[in-house]
Amino acid sequence: DKDQNVRYEVAKNENTPPEVLVKLARDKDNYVRRAVARNKRAPPEALEKLAKDKDPFIREEVARNMRTPLNVLIKLAKDKDQNVRYEVAKNENTPPEILKALSKDKEHWVRCAVAENNNTPQDVLKELAWDVVWNVRFRVAGNQNTPPEVLENLARDRDWGVRYKVAENDNTPPEILVKLTDDENWLIRYAVARNKNSPPEALRKLAEDKEFDVKLAVAKNPRTPPDVLEKLALDPNEYVRKAALRNPK
């Protein structure tokens, strides 16, 4: 069709036959080619073609697509455009060895994406936990696969945002959560109070916290012991009392 809007609609339609998408991958219009690159049913042949496109936004879409072949992701991991490499680092199909290589990227946003990827090997997460950029460490602290010993180190990080992510992580060991109840920043204590895996010892202590939001979070936590809830049901603050009474525990 001569109308680019029609071709665009065909290109983004997941029911479009593969051979048509391959043809549209050579379309003169950037938006049409980008729609093909974004299509969840795009065939490997089309994605391989688009991975070489001069438009970096199209290569980004290819790097983001879950159907992109492994050999294409490997090539895009070396792309000159940092946003393309970022999308490769985010892609859950990117193999561990490529994620390891991208963990050394000069652009910290690429390293952030590696730190956040659930397929990133633990040895790589250990290295990224020492990154000079706090945002990278922040994402390591939030990764569900980060080893306990790494989370323990990050729980002492100088940046409160990193410690917050450790306190929020469901896989943070109980003993580390207990230590974080002494953090000077109330937001970290609040994150511990909200964590569904916080041990009774931590919740019992935080029920005495001076910050209203921390006590409220304890009152809402399903792991809070019954005796602590009984005490919070008599709290001077109406919201804390109501939350404690509504707690299914």
Side-chain angles (χ1 to χ4, degrees):
D1 196 288
K2 292 183 179 180
D3 189 330
Q4 71 178 56
N5 293 319
V6 173
R7 301 198 307 277
Y8 172 80
E9 291 299 327
V10 174
K12 76 175 188 178
N13 192 318
E14 293 182 10
N15 293 320
T16 297
E19 60 272 17
V20 176
L21 291 175
V22 170
K23 185 176 180 180
L24 289 171
R26 297 191 293 270
D27 197 277
K28 62 182 180 181
D29 187 86
N30 285 20
Y31 288 101
V32 174
R33 299 199 307 278
R34 194 185 301 185
V36 176
R38 192 185 296 124
N39 195 310
K40 295 178 181 178
R41 298 269 181 96
E45 184 181 348
L47 293 169
E48 285 189 38
K49 170 70 177 174
L50 293 169
K52 302 172 185 175
D53 201 283
K54 62 182 180 181
D55 186 336
F57 293 109
I58 291 174
R59 301 199 304 276
E60 275 183 55
E61 294 293 351
V62 176
R64 188 183 294 125
N65 198 312
M66 298 301 289
R67 291 195 35 120
T68 297
L70 177 59
N71 64 304
V72 175
L73 286 175
I74 292 173
K75 290 179 182 177
L76 291 175
K78 299 176 182 177
D79 197 278
K80 61 183 179 181
D81 190 286
Q82 71 176 62
N83 293 320
V84 175
R85 301 196 305 276
Y86 171 80
E87 292 299 339
V88 174
K90 274 183 65 178
N91 195 312
E92 293 181 3
N93 289 332
T94 298
E97 61 270 20
I98 300 303
L99 291 172
K100 186 169 186 176
L102 288 171
S103 72
K104 307 290 186 183
D105 199 280
K106 63 180 181 179
E107 299 294 340
H108 80 275
W109 282 115
V110 176
R111 303 197 302 276
C112 280
V114 175
E116 210 165 23
N117 196 314
N118 287 327
N119 290 329
T120 298
Q122 290 193 338
D123 62 317
V124 175
L125 291 173
K126 286 181 181 179
E127 290 182 19
L128 289 173
W130 296 102
D131 199 282
V132 294
V133 179
W134 77 270
N135 229 334
V136 178
R137 304 195 304 276
F138 176 85
R139 284 164 171 76
V140 173
N143 195 308
Q144 297 297 300
N145 293 323
T146 298
E149 64 272 19
V150 175
L151 290 172
E152 185 173 9
N153 287 332
L154 291 173
R156 297 190 292 269
D157 197 275
R158 63 182 179 276
D159 192 282
W160 72 265
V162 176
R163 302 197 305 276
Y164 179 88
K165 290 302 286 186
V166 174
E168 194 179 51
N169 195 319
D170 290 337
N171 289 331
T172 297
E175 61 272 19
I176 297 176
L177 292 173
V178 171
K179 289 180 181 178
L180 287 171
T181 60
D182 289 324
D183 199 284
E184 61 183 13
N185 190 310
W186 74 270
L187 285 170
I188 282 78
R189 304 196 303 275
Y190 171 71
V192 175
R194 291 185 64 209
N195 194 315
K196 298 299 186 291
N197 289 325
S198 284
E201 180 185 351
L203 295 169
R204 198 179 299 280
K205 182 174 181 179
L206 292 174
E208 305 285 344
D209 201 275
K210 62 182 180 180
E211 292 290 338
F212 152 74
D213 288 300
V214 175
K215 287 200 293 184
L216 183 61
V218 174
K220 291 180 177 180
N221 196 315
R223 296 256 313 201
T224 300
D227 63 301
V228 175
L229 289 174
E230 288 179 13
K231 187 173 182 180
L232 289 174
L234 300 174
D235 193 88
N237 187 284
E238 178 185 1
Y239 294 102
V240 173
R241 293 198 305 273
K242 286 182 177 179
L245 291 171
R246 290 172 183 164
N247 192 311
K249 192 73 174 281

